[in-house]
Amino acid sequence: MKQTAIFVALLLHSTVGFAAGASAPNAFEPPSKDYLLQFSKPGEKVFVYERYDAKGALYRRDVTALKMPVKVHSATERVINGATYRLRGLTACPKPKITYKTEEWDCTKAAQDYEEGIYNHRASVVLCKTLVLQSKKDEPDAVSCFSLVGAGDANDPYTVAYDDDEMVFFDMAAIGNKDGKSLRPDLEHSGELGEQFQK
């Protein structure tokens, strides 16, 4: 019952957050399902990588086939098409054990179970966005990632899964701070909502 409540809360939170989703490239807002659908290809998983400049303007977009399963190394680290990315402004697993599927789980294993299900079984389009204009060797780009999930019918409508938001909501990642300021004020509410399910 508790797990059902968690997923309902997350779904409602996501629906509210994405109802006004962007229909054009936007560095700071979650994309709408329609934005992600434009990249969808029948029978193929697609990876979209967008780089934005400091003013929030789209600098470059790469659209490629998702050639291999996404690897979830930790609550904040993803390997997509052989490149490593790190969720922006988040710290993995502030607590080693969390409540997941109504049971106590190792935090990293829970994050892997949840996100591998999204990326490798449910997603048809994966979009990651970064403010990094040029990747540095051996340093993962800081990103925010989204997935288009669902079959697009009445029984399984399209929705947008927001990786950063989910990790914070499930207490699998903590929001970092710099000079006393939150690195992800946009995710503070998700953290507050998720706290009630960890008690």
Side-chain angles (χ1 to χ4, degrees):
M1 187 70 176
K2 185 176 180 182
Q3 191 65 21
T4 301
I6 290 174
F7 286 114
V8 169
L10 182 59
L11 179 62
L12 289 173
H13 172 67
S14 297
T15 302
V16 170
F18 301 133
S23 59
N26 189 301
F28 307 108
E29 294 293 327
S32 67
K33 64 181 180 182
D34 291 331
Y35 184 78
L36 293 181
L37 272 168
Q38 69 181 311
F39 305 110
S40 181
K41 296 180 181 179
E44 184 178 323
K45 286 180 176 272
V46 177
F47 176 50
V48 183
Y49 194 54
E50 294 182 337
R51 296 180 189 272
Y52 290 83
D53 64 22
K55 295 180 181 178
L58 182 64
Y59 172 76
R60 178 177 171 179
R61 177 192 291 133
D62 295 308
V63 181
T64 58
L66 198 50
K67 301 170 186 173
M68 59 190 78
V70 173
K71 294 180 182 176
V72 180
H73 281 183
S74 74
T76 57
E77 194 172 271
R78 312 287 179 257
V79 179
I80 305 174
N81 280 351
T84 302
Y85 303 94
R86 191 177 308 279
L87 298 183
R88 177 175 62 88
L90 300 181
T91 302
C93 291
K95 293 180 280 189
K97 301 286 185 182
I98 62 166
T99 300
Y100 175 67
K101 293 185 176 179
T102 71
E103 299 174 345
E104 186 178 77
W105 277 60
D106 174 83
C107 177
T108 299
K109 284 184 169 47
Q112 290 168 335
D113 180 78
Y114 186 83
E115 286 303 338
E116 285 176 355
I118 295 288
Y119 282 117
N120 298 326
H121 300 289
R122 301 270 295 139
S124 54
V125 177
V126 173
L127 165 69
C128 292
K129 305 193 285 191
T130 184
L131 296 174
V132 177
L133 297 186
Q134 182 66 47
S135 300
K136 295 179 182 177
K137 187 178 179 181
D138 300 325
E139 185 176 320
D141 287 351
V143 299
S144 287
C145 293
F146 311 85
S147 300
L148 180 68
V149 299
D153 56 35
N155 294 323
D156 189 15
Y158 288 123
T159 57
V160 178
Y162 184 3
D163 196 346
D164 310 39
D165 186 88
E166 291 157 0
M167 292 298 94
V168 171
F169 179 85
F170 284 117
D171 204 27
M172 296 171 182
I175 298 170
N177 285 276
K178 185 175 182 180
D179 301 326
K181 295 182 180 179
S182 171
L183 293 175
R184 295 300 302 270
D186 56 313
L187 300 179
E188 298 282 356
H189 184 58
S190 292
E192 292 167 4
L193 282 176
E195 279 179 7
Q196 61 187 304
F197 299 110
Q198 291 298 321
K199 294 176 181 176

